[in-house]
């Protein structure tokens, strides 16, 4: 098993036949141009293909440069921790060389990572000063709120540092005494200075990024926003690209504009019917081939024989504890782990008839997710824990309300006439479908009076409108043929996807 894993990793570092075929196919040659653009280029075949289209259709008159965003890697607390970090650095540097060849074929001229930018722009003495500055900031932190409030060189970065800690330390909450936190602060100081000097030298007109989360994406976005660069992010559920602004600096859909946009659309009834057909397929038919929640390993609405042993007033729906916590905006707790421990303590103290359901993906994700759930089960063993495989159809007909920080389950609950309670901003919060506490005290008050909760009227129409705007409506900031090719719906897990893409391009170009 170990040898096979090593072999698989090594094979990822060399170009295979499919990748070589793509290099021969693409060969986008660039003339020297006056203006520059910067692409964030991950190890992702989707973005190799998307950037081929972008380069060919939009960027023919620009010099294209790239940023390799992997400045930090998962750093678990374990034996020989530094050795694992060295191995990760070697692996990603070798992987970078391979992907540079792939991106070169779509027009990329240079590819930098943070280490390269550091060598170009930061002297040894300045780097020492940065480390000292990070040390002082780290030692002055008294609690987790102060981590969230961190600003560096007038760039707000506390949320990015906090979420990066959880994701790459693989711990469900921040330990303010952990030296890894100091490292993230240092990397943030370094990144901000490097990105500023990169922009000062190359004066990029545009930045095309994949995400705006974590310090390795988010800081680039925020520095370039400050420098007044035009920025676009990448694909989400049904959105191929989005313009990022100072007022909306996340990569996910701008849900705050959904109602205003829909109010100006024609044929609203037809659009709501289209949304209804989609939801009927999601909840009552096969959803395997639908562009909906493709991150799910199992269908939470697939009917099975698992039944509830008793009825509950409500159910807490656990999230993945290691995803970006503030992807949609603010949450009322510092992190998901604080939220669930606070909620469990409320359930115990006031003997609330509330059960907990782990996320259906729990046992398909990393071991740390499983460890958190097992820890919570042990600590709160007097609370009812529901099998994550149970169908939501079975759950929804037996509860009055459901609780989630910002999960998709919130609007699903409302659609089935179950009252949703959130604990942070989420993409349907502007539709007033349930309880939206803005403080912890409000959250507590709602849970303690939860027996009085009622489902709001006209919910189904609101949900249909939201789903149309989120899953069907074209929110793209600019046009590319990616949408016509249904690029999002392609599976890019393997290099064979490059061959399928080439075939699609050839057929598409024949037809136009």
């Amino acid at each position: 098993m170990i040898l096979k894993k090593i072999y698989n990793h090594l094979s990822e570092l060399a170009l295979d036949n499919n990748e070589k075929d793509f290099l021969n196919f693409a060969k986008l040659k660039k003339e020297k141009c006056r203006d520059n653009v910067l692409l964030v280029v991950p190890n992702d075949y989707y973005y190799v293909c998307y950037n081929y289209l972008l380069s060919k259709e939009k960027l023919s008159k620009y010099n294209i440069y790239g940023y390799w965003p992997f400045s930090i890697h998962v750093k678990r607390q374990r034996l020989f921790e530094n050795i694992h970090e060295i191995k990760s650095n070697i692996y990603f540097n070798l992987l970078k060389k391979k992907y540079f060849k792939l991106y070169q074929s779509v027009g990329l001229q240079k590819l930098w990572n943070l280490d390269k930018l550091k060598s170009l722009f930061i002297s040894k003495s300045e780097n020492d000063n940065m480390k000292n500055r990070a040390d002082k900031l780290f030692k002055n932190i008294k609690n987790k709120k102060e981590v969230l409030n961190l600003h560096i060189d007038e760039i707000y970065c506390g949320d990015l540092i906090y979420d990066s800690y959880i994701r790459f330390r693989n711990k469900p909450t921040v330990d303010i005494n952990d030296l890894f936190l100091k490292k993230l602060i240092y990397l943030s100081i370094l990144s901000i200075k490097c990105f500023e000097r990169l922009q000062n030298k190359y004066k990029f007109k545009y930045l095309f990024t994949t995400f705006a989360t974590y310090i390795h994406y988010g800081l680039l976005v925020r520095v370039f926003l400050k420098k007044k660069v035009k920025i676009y992010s990448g694909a989400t559920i049904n959105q191929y690209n989005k313009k990022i602004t100072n007022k909306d600096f996340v990569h996910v859909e701008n849900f705050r504009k959904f109602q205003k946009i829909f109010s100006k659309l024609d044929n609203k009834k037809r659009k709501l019917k289209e949304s209804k057909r989609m939801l009927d397929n999601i909840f009552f038919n096969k959803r395997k081939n639908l562009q909906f929640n493709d991150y799910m390993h199992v269908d939470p609405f697939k009917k099975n024989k698992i039944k509830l042993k008793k009825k509950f007033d409500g159910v807490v729906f656990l999230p993945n504890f290691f995803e970006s916590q503030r992807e949609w905006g603010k949450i009322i707790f510092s992190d998901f782990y604080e939220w669930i421990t606070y909620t469990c303590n409320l359930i115990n103290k006031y003997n609330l008839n509330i059960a907990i359901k782990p996320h259906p993906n729990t046992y398909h994700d990393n071991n740390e997710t499983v460890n958190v759930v097992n820890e919570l089960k042990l600590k709160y063993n007097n609370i009812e824990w529901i099998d994550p495989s149970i169908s939501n159809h079975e759950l929804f007909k037996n509860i009055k309300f459901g609780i989630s920080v910002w999960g998709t389950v919130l609007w699903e609950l409302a659609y089935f006439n179950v009252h949703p309670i959130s604990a942070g901003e989420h993409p349907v919060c502007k539709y007033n479908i349930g309880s939206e506490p803005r403080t912890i005290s409000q959250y507590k008050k709602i849970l303690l009076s939860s027996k009085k909760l009622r489902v709001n009227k006209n919910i189904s129409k609101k949900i249909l409108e939201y789903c149309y705007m989120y899953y069907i409506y074209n929110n793209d900031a600019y046009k590319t043929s990616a949408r016509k090719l249904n690029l999002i719906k392609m599976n890019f897990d393997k290099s064979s996807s490059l061959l399928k893409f080439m075939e699609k391009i050839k057929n598409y170009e024949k037809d136009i």
Side-chain angles (χ1 to χ4, degrees):
M1 182 66 74
I2 295 176
L3 289 175
K4 185 178 179 181
K5 188 175 181 180
I6 293 172
Y7 172 80
N8 288 337
H9 279 308
L10 289 174
S11 64
E12 291 172 353
L13 301 176
L15 290 167
D16 65 20
N17 290 333
N18 296 330
E19 293 162 338
K20 290 175 182 177
D21 286 346
F22 180 82
L23 293 182
N24 292 326
F25 165 80
K27 290 183 177 179
L28 291 182
K29 294 181 179 180
K30 298 286 294 182
E31 300 293 333
K32 189 68 178 175
C33 302
R34 185 181 68 178
D35 295 324
N36 303 325
V37 299
L38 183 65
L39 307 182
V40 172
V41 290
N43 57 325
D44 187 323
Y45 294 126
Y46 170 86
Y47 281 103
V48 171
C49 296
Y50 182 85
N51 285 328
Y52 169 85
L53 299 173
L54 182 63
S55 178
K56 192 174 182 180
E57 298 169 3
K58 300 288 183 183
L59 304 180
S60 60
K61 296 182 180 180
Y62 293 90
N63 302 311
I64 303 175
Y65 298 92
Y67 179 68
W68 182 256
F70 305 106
S71 56
I72 51 175
H73 312 295
V74 173
K75 190 176 176 69
R76 299 178 180 89
Q77 288 180 314
R78 57 189 175 184
L79 292 174
F80 310 115
E81 185 174 301
N82 291 333
I83 294 175
H84 286 285
E85 184 173 11
I86 291 169
K87 285 165 58 180
S88 291
N89 287 334
I90 293 172
Y91 172 79
F92 275 93
N93 279 325
L94 292 172
L95 196 65
K96 171 177 165 282
K97 290 183 178 181
K98 183 181 90 165
Y99 272 87
F100 182 37
K101 293 177 183 177
L102 289 170
Y103 283 106
Q104 270 185 308
S105 71
V106 304
L108 199 68
Q109 297 175 32
K110 287 184 180 180
L111 179 60
W112 301 291
N113 60 7
L114 186 59
D115 285 340
K116 182 62 177 177
L117 295 182
K118 179 181 173 183
S119 69
L120 290 172
F121 299 122
I122 308 298
S123 67
K124 184 181 184 304
S125 61
E126 188 176 15
N127 188 55
D128 290 340
N129 290 335
M130 290 178 180
K131 288 182 178 178
N132 290 333
R133 185 182 175 192
D135 187 57
K136 289 179 182 178
L137 286 172
F138 173 69
K139 288 179 178 177
N140 286 332
I141 291 172
K142 302 295 187 297
N143 54 59
K144 288 184 277 190
K145 291 291 184 184
E146 291 187 1
V147 178
L148 282 168
N149 291 330
L150 275 173
H151 287 70
I152 295 171
D153 297 338
E154 299 181 348
I155 302 289
Y156 173 53
C157 53
D159 58 333
L160 301 174
I161 291 171
Y162 201 105
D163 284 1
S164 296
Y165 180 95
I166 289 174
R167 171 66 182 86
F168 294 96
R169 193 50 157 173
N170 255 342
K171 294 181 70 173
T173 192
V174 167
D175 176 0
I176 61 171
N177 298 310
D178 186 352
L179 291 178
F180 185 64
L181 178 60
K182 182 170 77 169
K183 179 179 180 179
L184 291 177
I185 295 172
Y186 159 70
L187 286 174
S188 298
I189 296 170
L190 174 65
S191 297
I192 289 170
K193 193 59 68 179
C194 285
F195 298 152
E196 286 177 342
R197 290 176 182 174
L198 180 67
Q199 174 58 15
N200 290 343
K201 181 173 181 178
Y202 286 89
K203 295 178 172 53
F204 297 108
K205 296 289 184 181
Y206 296 95
L207 166 65
F208 294 89
T209 183
T210 49
F211 305 108
T213 47
Y214 307 122
I215 63 172
H216 41 304
Y217 301 104
L219 287 178
L220 180 60
V221 166
R222 295 180 191 186
V223 169
F224 274 39
L225 280 174
K226 186 180 177 184
K227 293 283 187 178
K228 302 188 184 307
V229 179
K230 293 179 181 178
I231 303 175
Y232 296 92
S233 59
T236 50
I237 293 293
N238 185 49
Q239 179 176 268
Y240 282 87
N241 50 72
K242 173 191 174 182
K243 187 172 183 179
I244 291 182
T245 67
N246 284 306
K247 292 183 178 180
D248 180 25
F249 50 83
V250 295
H251 65 266
V252 292
E253 289 83 353
N254 189 349
F255 60 87
R256 294 170 183 85
K257 290 186 176 181
F258 282 178
Q259 289 164 296
K260 184 178 180 179
I261 294 171
F262 189 83
S263 69
K264 297 178 180 180
L265 298 180
D266 296 328
N267 300 314
K268 292 182 178 62
K269 287 185 178 180
R270 179 171 59 79
K271 290 173 171 57
L272 294 178
K273 285 182 180 179
E274 184 179 359
S275 183
K276 178 68 165 58
R277 285 194 298 271
M278 180 190 70
L279 294 194
D280 285 344
N281 281 323
I282 289 168
F283 297 131
F284 305 109
N285 298 311
K286 292 181 179 179
R287 60 195 264 163
K288 184 177 179 181
N289 296 322
L290 291 171
Q291 180 54 41
F292 177 84
N293 286 9
D294 55 1
Y295 64 89
M296 296 296 292
H297 295 285
V298 295
D299 180 356
F301 287 90
K302 185 177 181 180
K303 294 185 178 181
N304 54 46
K305 295 181 180 180
I306 303 172
K307 302 294 181 184
L308 278 179
K309 296 178 181 178
K310 57 178 282 191
K311 284 196 173 184
F312 300 100
D313 292 330
V315 167
V316 177
F317 293 85
L318 293 187
N320 173 356
F321 287 93
F322 299 97
E323 60 189 329
S324 177
Q325 313 265 299
R326 274 153 278 272
E327 187 172 56
W328 291 102
K330 296 178 181 179
I331 59 176
I332 62 176
F333 293 86
S334 294
D335 51 60
F336 294 164
Y337 189 77
E338 275 194 8
W339 159 73
I340 189 56
T341 53
Y342 180 89
T343 303
C344 287
N345 288 330
L346 273 186
I347 294 171
N348 278 344
K349 183 176 181 179
Y350 295 96
N351 196 27
L352 302 177
N353 185 27
I354 298 174
I356 301 175
K357 181 188 177 185
H359 197 285
N361 281 354
T362 294
Y363 298 100
H364 300 271
D365 289 328
N366 59 14
N367 290 332
E368 282 74 12
T369 302
V370 177
N371 292 340
V372 172
V373 172
N374 289 340
E375 176 204 320
L376 291 169
K377 282 184 175 181
L378 187 63
K379 185 177 180 180
Y380 299 103
N381 56 10
N382 55 329
I383 295 177
E384 298 278 354
W385 288 79
I386 295 172
D387 187 332
S389 300
I390 194 170
S391 171
N392 279 348
H393 285 296
E394 170 69 10
L395 274 186
F396 290 178
K397 67 184 181 183
N398 286 297
I399 59 176
K400 299 174 183 176
F401 62 88
I403 309 166
S404 171
V405 178
W406 50 251
T408 299
V409 72
L410 290 167
W411 70 259
E412 294 173 342
L413 287 159
Y415 190 71
F416 283 88
N417 296 312
V418 181
H419 190 96
I421 302 171
S422 69
E425 290 185 294
H426 57 92
V428 71
C429 64
K430 295 300 180 182
Y431 283 89
N432 298 316
I433 63 169
S435 296
E436 307 285 351
R438 291 292 174 258
T439 64
I440 293 175
S441 60
Q442 287 179 4
Y443 178 77
K444 177 181 178 181
K445 185 177 180 180
I446 290 168
L447 260 61
L448 295 186
S449 59
S450 56
K451 290 188 177 181
K452 299 177 182 178
L453 295 174
R454 298 290 183 269
V455 177
N456 294 342
K457 295 180 180 179
N458 301 318
I459 282 293
S460 61
K461 186 177 179 181
K462 289 182 178 182
I463 298 300
L464 293 178
E465 179 183 319
Y466 160 74
C467 287
Y468 179 83
M469 293 304 302
Y470 186 56
Y471 295 106
I472 301 173
Y473 181 73
N474 181 351
N475 286 295
D476 297 350
Y478 60 85
K479 293 180 180 180
T480 72
S481 54
R483 181 169 289 278
K484 293 179 181 178
L485 294 167
N486 284 324
L487 206 64
I488 287 178
K489 294 188 179 182
M490 288 180 63
N491 185 341
F492 283 94
D493 289 344
K494 297 179 181 179
S495 65
S496 57
S497 60
L498 296 172
L499 303 183
K500 294 176 182 177
F501 171 75
M502 289 187 284
E503 190 63 30
K504 275 200 167 195
I505 285 291
K506 291 173 184 175
N507 291 334
Y508 173 73
E509 290 179 345
K510 283 180 184 176
D511 295 335
I512 58 175

